[in-house]
Amino acid sequence: ETAVFQTPNYHVTQVGNEVSFNCKQTLGHDTMYWYKQDSKKLLKIMFSYNNKQLIVNETVPRRFSPQSSDKAHLNLRIKSVEPEDSAVYLCASSRDWGGQDTQYFGPGTRLLVL
Amino acid sequence: KTQVEQSPQSLVVRQGENCVLQCNYSVTPDNHLRWFKQDTGKGLVSLTVLVDQKDKTSNGRYSATLDKDAKHSTLHITATLLDDTATYICVVGDRGSALGRLHFGAGTQLIVIP
């Protein structure tokens, strides 16, 4: 049963445009994450967000930024997309952060930059 | 350098057969290891988590082992079904706290044929 929702499912855009992806979780979790999954299926953490505290993976380009209105929502904004941003972006949530808490994933947003 | 290596990269089995997926890692410290299933076009779903130095878990037709001395884990799938077709991802957590990082393998693609 889906409890982490992502929109849109797919997005095709051109280099230099701004895009925004939405993520909502209905599990009452305190922590949310954004991952990037490349063509080889490898996931890389981009952001972790808990009680308004943000942890950023230092390798994430500055054009990426998370946006949160409350603990159930964590959106991802890309200011000026580049071709290497083409990937699947997965949102996840967990009860607490780090450790052995299970992360629940959304279905992903597939971005294609032309 | 990849710290979590999964083998084989892909595997084809007939429905009803058993299969074994391997995960070797160099992550230190290794607090816990989790196996995820990712259906095509979907998010990740946790199958099991292993914590102890030598651990075994069972979840229906899925069973897993962990040997932290060898930094090695296996995922066994018994009596495979067509719905088992998916990518199986091994993830190693280096701590049990908010300071922890998750290290993802690239996955094993399992295809179950009739």
Side-chain angles (χ1 to χ4, degrees):
Chain A
E1 184 180 346
T2 305
V4 181
F5 303 90
Q6 290 186 241
T7 58
N9 292 329
Y10 302 91
H11 190 79
V12 181
T13 190
Q14 292 185 324
V15 171
N17 285 349
E18 177 176 319
V19 299
S20 187
F21 303 149
N22 300 316
C23 180
K24 170 188 171 183
Q25 54 94 4
T26 58
L27 295 165
H29 287 166
D30 287 328
T31 307
M32 296 184 72
Y33 311 83
W34 276 102
Y35 290 87
K36 180 181 180 182
Q37 186 173 34
D38 61 25
S39 57
K40 296 181 180 178
K41 294 280 191 174
L42 202 57
L43 274 84
K44 292 184 180 176
I45 185 75
M46 300 179 73
F47 303 103
S48 302
Y49 192 78
N50 176 300
N51 289 328
K52 301 185 181 179
Q53 184 178 358
L54 176 67
I55 295 180
V56 181
N57 183 334
E58 62 275 5
T59 66
V60 174
R62 287 177 178 267
R63 61 181 179 278
F64 289 86
S65 61
Q67 298 172 318
S68 178
S69 55
D70 55 58
K71 73 174 189 178
H73 295 82
L74 185 67
N75 299 333
L76 180 66
R77 175 176 162 233
I78 313 174
K79 218 173 190 178
S80 176
V81 295
E82 297 188 6
E84 60 264 31
D85 298 338
S86 296
V88 176
Y89 291 87
L90 290 165
C91 175
S93 72
S94 65
R95 185 168 49 89
D96 200 349
W97 63 357
Q100 299 161 18
D101 277 347
T102 301
Q103 290 188 16
Y104 294 81
F105 284 79
T109 293
R110 282 145 196 80
L111 173 65
L112 177 61
V113 181
L114 302 175
Chain B
K1 182 185 174 183
T2 304
Q3 295 193 62
V4 181
E5 301 274 0
Q6 292 189 241
S7 62
Q9 275 191 331
S10 62
L11 180 62
V12 180
V13 299
R14 290 200 179 275
Q15 184 177 353
E17 290 179 344
N18 302 334
C19 65
V20 182
L21 283 55
Q22 312 282 349
C23 178
N24 289 287
Y25 62 91
S26 58
V27 177
T28 301
D30 48 351
N31 178 270
H32 64 278
L33 185 147
R34 189 182 295 275
W35 284 93
F36 283 96
K37 177 186 179 186
Q38 185 177 27
D39 290 316
T40 301
K42 301 284 180 66
L44 283 69
V45 176
S46 176
L47 295 175
T48 189
V49 63
L50 301 120
V51 179
D52 295 335
Q53 196 70 17
K54 294 197 192 296
D55 204 353
K56 287 184 180 181
T57 61
S58 183
N59 176 12
R61 293 180 300 103
Y62 300 104
S63 60
T65 66
L66 173 62
D67 182 343
K68 288 190 178 180
D69 292 330
K71 292 191 180 290
H72 177 71
S73 176
T74 61
L75 177 69
H76 298 247
I77 307 176
T78 304
T80 53
L81 303 172
L82 297 178
D83 283 347
D84 292 333
T85 295
T87 299
Y88 292 83
I89 298 175
C90 171
V91 182
V92 181
D94 59 16
R95 296 185 198 188
S97 70
L99 298 175
R101 287 184 58 198
L102 297 178
H103 303 262
F104 287 77
T108 291
Q109 186 179 12
L110 173 66
I111 299 173
V112 181
I113 58 174

